[in-house]
Amino acid sequence: MTLQEQQGEAELIAAILAGDTQLYHDLIRPYERPVYLLALSYMKNETDAEDVAQEAFLKAFRHLSSFRADAKFSTWLISIALNEARGRLRRQTASRTESLDKDPDEEGAVSPALLRDWREIPSEAVERGEIRDLLRKAVETLPEIYREVFLLRDVEELNINETAEALNISVSAVKVRLHRARLMLQKYLAPQLKSVTKPKGRWFAWS
Amino acid sequence: MVIECKHVWTYISDYLDGTLSEEIRVTVQKHLEHCELCSAILDSTRNILVLTADDRVFELPVGFSERLHQRLEEELKQKKGP
Ligand SMILES: [Zn+2]
């Protein structure tokens, strides 16, 4: 985000707080996708994710006056969405207990899938439903702490500091988790992508 | 300085982000020039990140935006301000 955009956003927020509430529609438009994706990564189904996203946008509106002008609206919004998703998940799975005895960042190294050659898969490949499903499933299979970092940083392209702020974790935790997430995806996806995109004799062509 | 493959793997993420120190970056670079295993791992990781970040992989449900703004509109109408 450029400085101008950030200033524009601050002005929008000031105008909304001054009573021009219709501007809230414009304020949140750039964040529909990141908020929804984050919700989806927790809820695992589209209906609940949409519900969580709507709730987060409503809450952000109701609490807009408590937004500190020196913070970034995007990270503030994402942490509201995160709380909403976590809260709902907790209510849904109240009986399930999580293991608290180990620090996930202390686990051993993740090793990648070993291959000798890699044939570049062009972006057009995601037009194939089979490839999209494979990619989505891989991300959904990541443990939560890796998935949320990966989605914010690599899919939504927040920077390291914004990701740390949104998730309320340290910058070094973001780096460690991101590294693990990326290697886990490589390990899971490289062999599968290789086999589904294997050239089928001389008839094969990408275009 | 020579490093083993498994050490190279620990630098993959920082290598892709360009956040390694110059010294380590050069060491990793040299290793990659003669190690087809690490090169393939790096290339596949980079490729997979490009694919998963593609907008077409994760899409908003049809009508998501309309339903959201509709619901917001109801809220905005109720109240004068936040
Ligand atoms: Zn190597």
Side-chain angles (χ1 to χ4, degrees), chain B residues 5 31 35 38:
Chain B
C5 293
H31 180 99
C35 180
C38 289

Side-chain angles (χ1 to χ4, degrees), chain A residues 65-100:
Chain A
S65 60
S66 69
F67 170 71
R68 293 174 296 119
D70 60 333
K72 278 194 71 175
F73 180 68
S74 56
T75 49
W76 183 71
L77 183 61
I78 284 169
S79 48
I80 291 176
L82 205 62
N83 283 334
E84 187 63 30
R86 284 176 177 162
R88 189 167 307 207
L89 215 53
R90 217 176 296 129
R91 287 194 294 278
Q92 281 181 2
T93 58
S95 55
R96 200 194 299 168
T97 51
E98 285 183 44
S99 65
L100 299 164

Side-chain angles (χ1 to χ4, degrees), chain A residues 13-63:
Chain A
I13 292 169
I16 294 163
L17 291 172
D20 198 352
T21 54
Q22 280 299 320
L23 291 173
Y24 189 66
H25 290 293
D26 301 324
L27 177 68
I28 61 151
R29 249 175 250 280
Y31 306 113
E32 290 177 18
R33 203 179 124 85
V35 165
Y36 172 76
L37 281 193
L38 190 71
L40 183 65
S41 88
Y42 278 84
M43 308 314 295
K44 305 277 173 81
N45 77 75
E46 294 192 351
T47 314
D48 283 350
E50 179 161 348
D51 229 36
V52 164
Q54 286 190 357
E55 226 25 75
F57 284 118
L58 281 174
K59 277 196 178 149
F61 174 72
R62 289 175 194 145
H63 297 109

